[in-house]
Amino acid sequence: MKATELRGKDQAALEKELNELLKAQFGMRMQIATQQLSNTSQLKKVRRDIARVKTVMNSKEAK
């Protein structure tokens, strides 16, 4: 996911995206705890996507 894609979305869509990413992160953390997640690099990608969404949301609020 790129920041340019996120900037084109409105606030409601960004909040929805953030909630989906947080749910995905929680699921991955549970899979790591039960040793079911084989590709742990996915967690890093989700964390960074969450940060991107929050950054875009904060920049839109500041304007």
Side-chain angles (χ1 to χ4, degrees):
M1 177 180 321
K2 294 188 177 188
T4 53
E5 297 171 8
L6 294 173
R7 286 189 185 102
K9 296 184 179 182
D10 61 341
Q11 193 71 16
L14 288 173
E15 288 176 7
K16 182 181 177 193
E17 186 74 31
L18 180 62
N19 285 333
E20 290 174 3
L21 287 169
L22 289 171
K23 286 179 185 178
Q25 182 187 30
F26 178 77
M28 286 183 196
R29 285 197 335 247
M30 292 301 114
Q31 287 180 351
I32 286 175
T34 59
Q35 298 178 354
Q36 294 177 350
L37 186 65
S38 59
N39 188 3
T40 57
S41 66
Q42 291 175 337
L43 189 63
K44 181 178 179 180
K45 290 178 186 177
V46 170
R47 264 197 347 248
R48 288 188 177 183
D49 285 343
I50 290 171
R52 280 190 193 103
V53 171
K54 286 184 176 181
T55 301
V56 171
M57 287 174 70
N58 286 336
S59 67
K60 284 189 174 207
E61 287 178 7
K63 289 184 179 180

